[in-house]
Amino acid sequence: MFRKIATPVIAILIFLGLWELLVWANGWPNYKMASPSDLPPAFWKYKELFFVMGWQTLWRTIVGLFLAVIVGTLIGMIIGFSKLARDALYPLLIGFNAIPKATLVPVISLIFIGQHDFNTILMAFMISFFPIAVSVGIGLSTLEPEYRDILRALGASKFTIFRKIALPKTLPEFFGALKVSATLAFIGTNLVEIVSPHGRGLGALFKSGETNGDYPLMFAVLIALAFLGIILYYAVIFLERVFAGWADREGN
Amino acid sequence: MAAPFTTKGNSIENLIEIKGARHAYQTASGPLPVLDGLDVAVPSGTFAAVVGPSGCGKSTLTRLVAGLMKPDEGEVWLHGERVTGPRKTVGMAFQNPVLLEWRTILDNVILPLEIVAPTMPRKDRIARAMELLDMVGLTGFEGKRPSELSGGMRQRASLCRSIVHKPEVLILDEPFGALDAFTREDLWQTMRDLRAAEPFTAVLITHDLRESVFLGDQVIVLSGRPARTQYVMDVDLPADRTLDVLFTPKAADMLHVLRDQIKIAQGRDVEGQA
């Protein structure tokens, strides 16, 4: 247990040490590259803003991710169970996913003008539902027919088969995708926060650091974002342990 | 060849009866006939082994009996009733044990009871499952996950699951096909013991002629695709047979006849008549 916590902590400390060394050895001023020692003062100076903005970023990301889970799972179920839907929807989904989401920021801010919270959540959702939809779809469509037949031969309904077999069997793939989606959702949130004028959240704080030439603040925001990303990632890991812990084979 | 069909409600001689089944799958390149005049009659309480060349439609036969599909032509009867869809009185086991990885062995065995007997108290379900696990030698493994068991043990658990709800008909689709030779012989004996203790009528699909003779009361040879019933052999060996029986001249003669029949089914000449 001690090793489990100590190992990543030591790795982070080594990383920060190397970063500090790099900046010191090159003699870079903090407007070129801030060093780790610049960060605590930056955090301290804006500590209230970090809490307020960090919370805004976090809740909007989580709501967007939550929507991505619901809609992604639904789309995954549709393309997983129906070959017709799969043939029809795959090109659309892939095309949509291929669009750089930054290009959609002006589009959605024109459609939903002034709805900053809504736009941010929408972007977090749009950027993160794809991996979930694809993995659930693949999980369901590759279910071996024998799994279905053992219950179907007893006259079980489609819903019972889904609940007792297809759904739990897809959970490991689902959580694999959710880990990817959780970090993607942060990208979506920040995209809107940074690009749209009068934004809120950590993205807006980053933008104001840039406007005011406060480089340590910009780096501090990046670290805060990384920190939130790590928290959300481990929250997903925790849920995975609870709901799909059986897929984790000890010793393998 | 098949015993005469008895009408509904009368004393039923054949628990499973397939008469003149014909079926073709629709594929992109036109219909692919898989069954062309399949007749199967399995008397109540007996064990029918079905052998035939690869891809001849043996699995289609299991799906017909299970009510998972209907033939284009012909009739499938179970217990004097026309099969029109799935029924709760069927149990299935496959080559792949298809255990649910997120459930313990005990809860895997219980699964059919959750569908067939939703009101049965959990205590009774456990008692029934434990009785079967004991019979196949898995006592002490009920709390393990499938991934912690060997292939043979998983297949034992799968067999328990297929009969936990006391099905009238047990359908075995090459359940021992993926096991090594020694484990397979162990499971043959387990199957023989289960048969003596449980009341099912069984259809066993297999590629192994020794298996068909050891477990079957009759061996049905199907022709190459599209399959028809080519040959039926009654296995005249004692019910409590041991593996030694396979080394008797009588069994050797039966195996020889079956082997020749398989060659005919494959479209090859009987050996020596090239």
Side-chain angles (χ1 to χ4, degrees), chain B residues 129-145:
Chain B
M130 291 304 290
E131 173 195 9
L132 288 174
L133 287 171
D134 181 46
M135 248 188 270
V136 303
L138 283 182
T139 305
F141 291 92
E142 64 274 6
K144 299 259 187 230
R145 303 264 176 197

mmCIF file with all atom_site columns, all heavy atoms in Angstrom, chain B residues 129-145:
data_model
loop_
_atom_site.group_PDB
_atom_site.id
_atom_site.type_symbol
_atom_site.label_atom_id
_atom_site.label_alt_id
_atom_site.label_comp_id
_atom_site.label_asym_id
_atom_site.label_entity_id
_atom_site.label_seq_id
_atom_site.pdbx_PDB_ins_code
_atom_site.Cartn_x
_atom_site.Cartn_y
_atom_site.Cartn_z
_atom_site.occupancy
_atom_site.B_iso_or_equiv
_atom_site.pdbx_formal_charge
_atom_site.auth_seq_id
_atom_site.auth_comp_id
_atom_site.auth_asym_id
_atom_site.auth_atom_id
_atom_site.pdbx_PDB_model_num
ATOM 1   N N   . ALA B 1 129 ? -27.966 -26.211 -6.708  1.00 0.00 ? 129 ALA B N   1
ATOM 2   C CA  . ALA B 1 129 ? -26.692 -26.027 -7.409  1.00 0.00 ? 129 ALA B CA  1
ATOM 3   C C   . ALA B 1 129 ? -25.573 -26.797 -6.707  1.00 0.00 ? 129 ALA B C   1
ATOM 4   O O   . ALA B 1 129 ? -24.742 -27.436 -7.359  1.00 0.00 ? 129 ALA B O   1
ATOM 5   C CB  . ALA B 1 129 ? -26.352 -24.541 -7.497  1.00 0.00 ? 129 ALA B CB  1
ATOM 6   N N   . MET B 1 130 ? -25.577 -26.750 -5.387  1.00 0.00 ? 130 MET B N   1
ATOM 7   C CA  . MET B 1 130 ? -24.509 -27.433 -4.644  1.00 0.00 ? 130 MET B CA  1
ATOM 8   C C   . MET B 1 130 ? -24.587 -28.945 -4.840  1.00 0.00 ? 130 MET B C   1
ATOM 9   O O   . MET B 1 130 ? -23.561 -29.623 -4.913  1.00 0.00 ? 130 MET B O   1
ATOM 10  C CB  . MET B 1 130 ? -24.595 -27.086 -3.152  1.00 0.00 ? 130 MET B CB  1
ATOM 11  C CG  . MET B 1 130 ? -24.246 -25.642 -2.814  1.00 0.00 ? 130 MET B CG  1
ATOM 12  S SD  . MET B 1 130 ? -22.609 -25.143 -3.383  1.00 0.00 ? 130 MET B SD  1
ATOM 13  C CE  . MET B 1 130 ? -21.591 -26.116 -2.274  1.00 0.00 ? 130 MET B CE  1
ATOM 14  N N   . GLU B 1 131 ? -25.813 -29.451 -4.938  1.00 0.00 ? 131 GLU B N   1
ATOM 15  C CA  . GLU B 1 131 ? -26.002 -30.887 -5.166  1.00 0.00 ? 131 GLU B CA  1
ATOM 16  C C   . GLU B 1 131 ? -25.307 -31.299 -6.469  1.00 0.00 ? 131 GLU B C   1
ATOM 17  O O   . GLU B 1 131 ? -24.579 -32.296 -6.522  1.00 0.00 ? 131 GLU B O   1
ATOM 18  C CB  . GLU B 1 131 ? -27.514 -31.150 -5.216  1.00 0.00 ? 131 GLU B CB  1
ATOM 19  C CG  . GLU B 1 131 ? -27.930 -32.541 -5.612  1.00 0.00 ? 131 GLU B CG  1
ATOM 20  C CD  . GLU B 1 131 ? -29.418 -32.625 -5.986  1.00 0.00 ? 131 GLU B CD  1
ATOM 21  O OE1 . GLU B 1 131 ? -30.090 -31.567 -6.096  1.00 0.00 ? 131 GLU B OE1 1
ATOM 22  O OE2 . GLU B 1 131 ? -29.906 -33.733 -6.169  1.00 0.00 ? 131 GLU B OE2 1
ATOM 23  N N   . LEU B 1 132 ? -25.515 -30.482 -7.523  1.00 0.00 ? 132 LEU B N   1
ATOM 24  C CA  . LEU B 1 132 ? -24.910 -30.800 -8.816  1.00 0.00 ? 132 LEU B CA  1
ATOM 25  C C   . LEU B 1 132 ? -23.400 -30.600 -8.792  1.00 0.00 ? 132 LEU B C   1
ATOM 26  O O   . LEU B 1 132 ? -22.645 -31.423 -9.320  1.00 0.00 ? 132 LEU B O   1
ATOM 27  C CB  . LEU B 1 132 ? -25.531 -29.927 -9.910  1.00 0.00 ? 132 LEU B CB  1
ATOM 28  C CG  . LEU B 1 132 ? -26.959 -30.283 -10.290 1.00 0.00 ? 132 LEU B CG  1
ATOM 29  C CD1 . LEU B 1 132 ? -27.502 -29.263 -11.274 1.00 0.00 ? 132 LEU B CD1 1
ATOM 30  C CD2 . LEU B 1 132 ? -27.027 -31.677 -10.885 1.00 0.00 ? 132 LEU B CD2 1
ATOM 31  N N   . LEU B 1 133 ? -22.951 -29.511 -8.165  1.00 0.00 ? 133 LEU B N   1
ATOM 32  C CA  . LEU B 1 133 ? -21.511 -29.254 -8.104  1.00 0.00 ? 133 LEU B CA  1
ATOM 33  C C   . LEU B 1 133 ? -20.809 -30.394 -7.384  1.00 0.00 ? 133 LEU B C   1
ATOM 34  O O   . LEU B 1 133 ? -19.697 -30.798 -7.747  1.00 0.00 ? 133 LEU B O   1
ATOM 35  C CB  . LEU B 1 133 ? -21.240 -27.913 -7.398  1.00 0.00 ? 133 LEU B CB  1
ATOM 36  C CG  . LEU B 1 133 ? -21.581 -26.672 -8.227  1.00 0.00 ? 133 LEU B CG  1
ATOM 37  C CD1 . LEU B 1 133 ? -21.491 -25.412 -7.380  1.00 0.00 ? 133 LEU B CD1 1
ATOM 38  C CD2 . LEU B 1 133 ? -20.644 -26.552 -9.431  1.00 0.00 ? 133 LEU B CD2 1
ATOM 39  N N   . ASP B 1 134 ? -21.484 -30.939 -6.375  1.00 0.00 ? 134 ASP B N   1
ATOM 40  C CA  . ASP B 1 134 ? -20.927 -32.069 -5.649  1.00 0.00 ? 134 ASP B CA  1
ATOM 41  C C   . ASP B 1 134 ? -20.810 -33.280 -6.580  1.00 0.00 ? 134 ASP B C   1
ATOM 42  O O   . ASP B 1 134 ? -19.798 -33.979 -6.598  1.00 0.00 ? 134 ASP B O   1
ATOM 43  C CB  . ASP B 1 134 ? -21.827 -32.387 -4.446  1.00 0.00 ? 134 ASP B CB  1
ATOM 44  C CG  . ASP B 1 134 ? -21.277 -33.548 -3.642  1.00 0.00 ? 134 ASP B CG  1
ATOM 45  O OD1 . ASP B 1 134 ? -20.057 -33.534 -3.373  1.00 0.00 ? 134 ASP B OD1 1
ATOM 46  O OD2 . ASP B 1 134 ? -22.049 -34.468 -3.291  1.00 0.00 ? 134 ASP B OD2 1
ATOM 47  N N   . MET B 1 135 ? -21.843 -33.489 -7.395  1.00 0.00 ? 135 MET B N   1
ATOM 48  C CA  . MET B 1 135 ? -21.849 -34.647 -8.297  1.00 0.00 ? 135 MET B CA  1
ATOM 49  C C   . MET B 1 135 ? -20.715 -34.590 -9.316  1.00 0.00 ? 135 MET B C   1
ATOM 50  O O   . MET B 1 135 ? -20.205 -35.624 -9.734  1.00 0.00 ? 135 MET B O   1
ATOM 51  C CB  . MET B 1 135 ? -23.199 -34.700 -9.033  1.00 0.00 ? 135 MET B CB  1
ATOM 52  C CG  . MET B 1 135 ? -24.054 -35.879 -8.646  1.00 0.00 ? 135 MET B CG  1
ATOM 53  S SD  . MET B 1 135 ? -25.482 -35.944 -9.727  1.00 0.00 ? 135 MET B SD  1
ATOM 54  C CE  . MET B 1 135 ? -26.644 -34.966 -8.831  1.00 0.00 ? 135 MET B CE  1
ATOM 55  N N   . VAL B 1 136 ? -20.340 -33.375 -9.749  1.00 0.00 ? 136 VAL B N   1
ATOM 56  C CA  . VAL B 1 136 ? -19.281 -33.275 -10.758 1.00 0.00 ? 136 VAL B CA  1
ATOM 57  C C   . VAL B 1 136 ? -17.911 -33.000 -10.136 1.00 0.00 ? 136 VAL B C   1
ATOM 58  O O   . VAL B 1 136 ? -16.943 -32.758 -10.848 1.00 0.00 ? 136 VAL B O   1
ATOM 59  C CB  . VAL B 1 136 ? -19.587 -32.181 -11.816 1.00 0.00 ? 136 VAL B CB  1
ATOM 60  C CG1 . VAL B 1 136 ? -20.918 -32.459 -12.487 1.00 0.00 ? 136 VAL B CG1 1
ATOM 61  C CG2 . VAL B 1 136 ? -19.567 -30.796 -11.194 1.00 0.00 ? 136 VAL B CG2 1
ATOM 62  N N   . GLY B 1 137 ? -17.862 -33.033 -8.788  1.00 0.00 ? 137 GLY B N   1
ATOM 63  C CA  . GLY B 1 137 ? -16.573 -32.884 -8.117  1.00 0.00 ? 137 GLY B CA  1
ATOM 64  C C   . GLY B 1 137 ? -16.087 -31.450 -8.012  1.00 0.00 ? 137 GLY B C   1
ATOM 65  O O   . GLY B 1 137 ? -14.893 -31.200 -7.991  1.00 0.00 ? 137 GLY B O   1
ATOM 66  N N   . LEU B 1 138 ? -16.994 -30.493 -7.941  1.00 0.00 ? 138 LEU B N   1
ATOM 67  C CA  . LEU B 1 138 ? -16.580 -29.083 -7.816  1.00 0.00 ? 138 LEU B CA  1
ATOM 68  C C   . LEU B 1 138 ? -16.891 -28.510 -6.428  1.00 0.00 ? 138 LEU B C   1
ATOM 69  O O   . LEU B 1 138 ? -16.849 -27.300 -6.258  1.00 0.00 ? 138 LEU B O   1
ATOM 70  C CB  . LEU B 1 138 ? -17.258 -28.228 -8.893  1.00 0.00 ? 138 LEU B CB  1
ATOM 71  C CG  . LEU B 1 138 ? -16.679 -28.313 -10.303 1.00 0.00 ? 138 LEU B CG  1
ATOM 72  C CD1 . LEU B 1 138 ? -17.420 -27.393 -11.245 1.00 0.00 ? 138 LEU B CD1 1
ATOM 73  C CD2 . LEU B 1 138 ? -15.188 -27.993 -10.317 1.00 0.00 ? 138 LEU B CD2 1
ATOM 74  N N   . THR B 1 139 ? -17.187 -29.367 -5.459  1.00 0.00 ? 139 THR B N   1
ATOM 75  C CA  . THR B 1 139 ? -17.408 -28.856 -4.109  1.00 0.00 ? 139 THR B CA  1
ATOM 76  C C   . THR B 1 139 ? -16.148 -28.129 -3.647  1.00 0.00 ? 139 THR B C   1
ATOM 77  O O   . THR B 1 139 ? -15.038 -28.624 -3.848  1.00 0.00 ? 139 THR B O   1
ATOM 78  C CB  . THR B 1 139 ? -17.717 -30.019 -3.144  1.00 0.00 ? 139 THR B CB  1
ATOM 79  O OG1 . THR B 1 139 ? -18.813 -30.747 -3.681  1.00 0.00 ? 139 THR B OG1 1
ATOM 80  C CG2 . THR B 1 139 ? -18.081 -29.501 -1.766  1.00 0.00 ? 139 THR B CG2 1
ATOM 81  N N   . GLY B 1 140 ? -16.332 -26.939 -3.073  1.00 0.00 ? 140 GLY B N   1
ATOM 82  C CA  . GLY B 1 140 ? -15.183 -26.164 -2.628  1.00 0.00 ? 140 GLY B CA  1
ATOM 83  C C   . GLY B 1 140 ? -14.787 -25.109 -3.648  1.00 0.00 ? 140 GLY B C   1
ATOM 84  O O   . GLY B 1 140 ? -14.009 -24.208 -3.353  1.00 0.00 ? 140 GLY B O   1
ATOM 85  N N   . PHE B 1 141 ? -15.315 -25.213 -4.883  1.00 0.00 ? 141 PHE B N   1
ATOM 86  C CA  . PHE B 1 141 ? -14.990 -24.228 -5.917  1.00 0.00 ? 141 PHE B CA  1
ATOM 87  C C   . PHE B 1 141 ? -16.153 -23.286 -6.198  1.00 0.00 ? 141 PHE B C   1
ATOM 88  O O   . PHE B 1 141 ? -16.061 -22.443 -7.076  1.00 0.00 ? 141 PHE B O   1
ATOM 89  C CB  . PHE B 1 141 ? -14.581 -24.934 -7.215  1.00 0.00 ? 141 PHE B CB  1
ATOM 90  C CG  . PHE B 1 141 ? -13.275 -25.650 -7.115  1.00 0.00 ? 141 PHE B CG  1
ATOM 91  C CD1 . PHE B 1 141 ? -13.235 -26.986 -6.742  1.00 0.00 ? 141 PHE B CD1 1
ATOM 92  C CD2 . PHE B 1 141 ? -12.087 -24.990 -7.351  1.00 0.00 ? 141 PHE B CD2 1
ATOM 93  C CE1 . PHE B 1 141 ? -12.021 -27.645 -6.626  1.00 0.00 ? 141 PHE B CE1 1
ATOM 94  C CE2 . PHE B 1 141 ? -10.875 -25.640 -7.239  1.00 0.00 ? 141 PHE B CE2 1
ATOM 95  C CZ  . PHE B 1 141 ? -10.841 -26.986 -6.866  1.00 0.00 ? 141 PHE B CZ  1
ATOM 96  N N   . GLU B 1 142 ? -17.262 -23.444 -5.432  1.00 0.00 ? 142 GLU B N   1
ATOM 97  C CA  . GLU B 1 142 ? -18.474 -22.681 -5.744  1.00 0.00 ? 142 GLU B CA  1
ATOM 98  C C   . GLU B 1 142 ? -18.258 -21.176 -5.633  1.00 0.00 ? 142 GLU B C   1
ATOM 99  O O   . GLU B 1 142 ? -18.900 -20.411 -6.336  1.00 0.00 ? 142 GLU B O   1
ATOM 100 C CB  . GLU B 1 142 ? -19.646 -23.132 -4.862  1.00 0.00 ? 142 GLU B CB  1
ATOM 101 C CG  . GLU B 1 142 ? -19.474 -22.892 -3.362  1.00 0.00 ? 142 GLU B CG  1
ATOM 102 C CD  . GLU B 1 142 ? -18.734 -24.033 -2.678  1.00 0.00 ? 142 GLU B CD  1
ATOM 103 O OE1 . GLU B 1 142 ? -18.255 -24.942 -3.384  1.00 0.00 ? 142 GLU B OE1 1
ATOM 104 O OE2 . GLU B 1 142 ? -18.621 -24.005 -1.433  1.00 0.00 ? 142 GLU B OE2 1
ATOM 105 N N   . GLY B 1 143 ? -17.316 -20.745 -4.775  1.00 0.00 ? 143 GLY B N   1
ATOM 106 C CA  . GLY B 1 143 ? -17.095 -19.316 -4.592  1.00 0.00 ? 143 GLY B CA  1
ATOM 107 C C   . GLY B 1 143 ? -16.068 -18.728 -5.545  1.00 0.00 ? 143 GLY B C   1
ATOM 108 O O   . GLY B 1 143 ? -15.821 -17.527 -5.539  1.00 0.00 ? 143 GLY B O   1
ATOM 109 N N   . LYS B 1 144 ? -15.465 -19.568 -6.385  1.00 0.00 ? 144 LYS B N   1
ATOM 110 C CA  . LYS B 1 144 ? -14.424 -19.084 -7.299  1.00 0.00 ? 144 LYS B CA  1
ATOM 111 C C   . LYS B 1 144 ? -15.039 -18.445 -8.541  1.00 0.00 ? 144 LYS B C   1
ATOM 112 O O   . LYS B 1 144 ? -16.177 -18.705 -8.898  1.00 0.00 ? 144 LYS B O   1
ATOM 113 C CB  . LYS B 1 144 ? -13.549 -20.263 -7.746  1.00 0.00 ? 144 LYS B CB  1
ATOM 114 C CG  . LYS B 1 144 ? -12.838 -20.953 -6.597  1.00 0.00 ? 144 LYS B CG  1
ATOM 115 C CD  . LYS B 1 144 ? -11.400 -20.516 -6.528  1.00 0.00 ? 144 LYS B CD  1
ATOM 116 C CE  . LYS B 1 144 ? -10.636 -21.319 -5.503  1.00 0.00 ? 144 LYS B CE  1
ATOM 117 N NZ  . LYS B 1 144 ? -9.870  -20.467 -4.587  1.00 0.00 ? 144 LYS B NZ  1
ATOM 118 N N   . ARG B 1 145 ? -14.216 -17.642 -9.195  1.00 0.00 ? 145 ARG B N   1
ATOM 119 C CA  . ARG B 1 145 ? -14.615 -17.080 -10.492 1.00 0.00 ? 145 ARG B CA  1
ATOM 120 C C   . ARG B 1 145 ? -14.211 -18.073 -11.582 1.00 0.00 ? 145 ARG B C   1
ATOM 121 O O   . ARG B 1 145 ? -13.220 -18.799 -11.413 1.00 0.00 ? 145 ARG B O   1
ATOM 122 C CB  . ARG B 1 145 ? -13.888 -15.762 -10.757 1.00 0.00 ? 145 ARG B CB  1
ATOM 123 C CG  . ARG B 1 145 ? -14.102 -14.737 -9.692  1.00 0.00 ? 145 ARG B CG  1
ATOM 124 C CD  . ARG B 1 145 ? -15.205 -13.803 -10.079 1.00 0.00 ? 145 ARG B CD  1
ATOM 125 N NE  . ARG B 1 145 ? -15.452 -12.882 -8.971  1.00 0.00 ? 145 ARG B NE  1
ATOM 126 C CZ  . ARG B 1 145 ? -16.544 -12.170 -8.849  1.00 0.00 ? 145 ARG B CZ  1
ATOM 127 N NH1 . ARG B 1 145 ? -17.496 -12.277 -9.744  1.00 0.00 ? 145 ARG B NH1 1
ATOM 128 N NH2 . ARG B 1 145 ? -16.707 -11.362 -7.833  1.00 0.00 ? 145 ARG B NH2 1
#
